[in-house]
């Protein structure tokens, strides 16, 4: 597979990718059944979306049997990162700080969530320090 940038999936395509990431390779029928648990989706609509996604390179199709089985051609983490980067750029001018401040300011945060956030910040800071120390640099001003 070439290293071409992954296309931005539409909202409907992202719903299908969520099914494929969660359940693995799936038939059109299974994918449609999963989507229909949240909202009514026609079988032919799901089939058409999967065909479009195949053309875009978002899914791969196994044609070995009478039933076509589709699987995600893009990784969940990579797609989430791409969408988040685009969202942060477009909505918050590229500022992760603004994103976090908005998210934390708009919703109640539990003590457990705050502890997880602190732990993540500590890990990020430790990684940064490890990288700086490995390069012979420190965070202290000269």
């Amino acid at each position: 597979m070439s290293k071409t940038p992954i296309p931005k999936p539409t909202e409907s395509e992202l719903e299908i990718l969520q099914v494929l990431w969660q359940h693995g390779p799936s038939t059109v029928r299974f994918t449609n059944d999963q989507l229909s648990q949240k909202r009514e989706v026609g079988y032919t609509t799901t089939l058409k979306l999967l065909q479009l996604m195949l053309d875009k390179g978002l899914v791969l199709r196994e044609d070995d049997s009478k039933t076509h089985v589709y699987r995600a051609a893009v990784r969940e983490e990579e797609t989430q990162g791409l969408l988040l980067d685009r969202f942060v750029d477009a909505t918050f001018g590229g500022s992760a700080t603004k994103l976090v401040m908005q998210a934390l300011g708009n919703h109640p945060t539990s003590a457990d969530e705050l502890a997880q956030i602190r732990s993540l910040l500590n890990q990020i800071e430790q990684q940064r320090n490890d990288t700086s120390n490995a390069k012979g640099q420190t965070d202290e001003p000269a």
Side-chain angles (χ1 to χ4, degrees), residues 43-100:
Y43 177 87
T44 55
T45 300
T46 302
L47 174 61
K48 184 63 177 172
L49 281 168
L50 280 163
Q51 291 169 339
L52 292 170
M53 292 170 71
L54 179 66
D55 292 341
K56 288 172 74 173
L58 291 170
V59 297
L60 299 172
R61 183 176 65 204
E62 299 168 15
D63 300 318
D64 298 341
S65 65
K66 181 181 173 194
T67 305
H68 291 161
V69 175
Y70 290 86
R71 64 182 172 93
V74 293
R75 290 186 15 249
E76 183 175 14
E77 298 80 14
E78 184 179 358
T79 303
Q80 289 171 340
L82 169 76
L83 294 173
L84 182 61
D85 287 347
R86 289 181 181 172
F87 176 75
V88 170
D89 285 345
T91 309
F92 297 98
S95 172
T97 301
K98 288 181 182 179
L99 167 69
V100 171

Side-chain angles (χ1 to χ4, degrees), residues 77-133:
E77 298 80 14
E78 184 179 358
T79 303
Q80 289 171 340
L82 169 76
L83 294 173
L84 182 61
D85 287 347
R86 289 181 181 172
F87 176 75
V88 170
D89 285 345
T91 309
F92 297 98
S95 172
T97 301
K98 288 181 182 179
L99 167 69
V100 171
M101 297 300 286
Q102 185 73 27
L104 292 177
N106 280 353
H107 302 285
T109 308
S110 70
D112 185 52
E113 289 172 322
L114 287 174
Q116 290 178 27
I117 292 167
R118 279 190 192 96
S119 176
L120 176 61
L121 291 172
N122 290 339
Q123 288 174 10
I124 292 169
E125 188 172 25
Q126 185 61 49
Q127 288 172 351
R128 197 174 114 234
N129 289 339
D130 290 348
T131 301
S132 294
N133 291 339

Side-chain angles (χ1 to χ4, degrees), residues 26-41:
S26 303
T27 62
V28 177
R29 172 66 56 210
F30 179 84
T31 303
N32 183 255
D33 290 346
Q34 294 299 306
L35 295 173
S36 292
Q37 290 179 6
K38 293 182 182 178
R39 63 181 173 84
E40 189 58 37
V41 180

